[in-house]
Amino acid sequence: QPPRSCEDYWGEWKHCRGLRHAFHHYYAHGELPDCGRWREDYEACRAWERDRAAAAQVPAPLLACPGLCRPGLLGQKPRSRGVWKLRKSPPPDWYLPLD
């Protein structure tokens, strides 16, 4: 059985193809989102529900990544590691007033 319901994959695909999400993704990452993976996951899920054949029972794309590592609502990771270097402790003069 797929890790998520087929309607979840369909909803993620519809959201990914939406104008608002495409605009935000283009603004944040400089490229349009790749929504083909969500469609493939949906089709694999439907094939498993419809046929329950040996090849469709273990859909490799669905089991390898149950949806959270796909680009989508929950699994999107930032492209860069960050702007600032993380500190171990505050600076020694943290309590002094700013200029």
Side-chain angles (χ1 to χ4, degrees):
Q1 182 174 0
R4 299 170 69 179
S5 70
C6 294
E7 287 75 25
D8 289 345
Y9 294 112
W10 179 257
E12 288 282 359
W13 180 68
K14 292 278 290 185
H15 171 76
C16 185
R17 291 190 64 226
L19 182 63
R20 185 175 180 179
H21 175 71
F23 180 75
H24 173 74
H25 194 276
Y26 187 79
Y27 178 78
H29 302 287
E31 60 188 20
L32 290 175
D34 180 25
C35 302
R37 189 63 184 218
W38 288 112
R39 180 69 180 195
E40 292 171 10
D41 289 348
Y42 172 73
E43 290 172 358
C45 183
R46 284 292 178 207
W48 184 85
E49 284 184 347
R50 182 180 55 246
D51 300 334
R52 298 203 189 248
Q57 279 186 2
V58 183
L62 298 181
L63 294 179
C65 184
L68 295 179
C69 63
R70 306 257 194 300
L73 291 175
L74 301 175
Q76 210 161 33
K77 295 181 181 176
R79 293 186 120 190
S80 66
R81 295 180 184 252
V83 179
W84 297 281
K85 203 177 202 182
L86 296 177
R87 295 186 210 154
K88 304 285 183 197
S89 62
D93 57 350
W94 66 269
Y95 58 89
L96 295 176
L98 297 175
D99 295 337

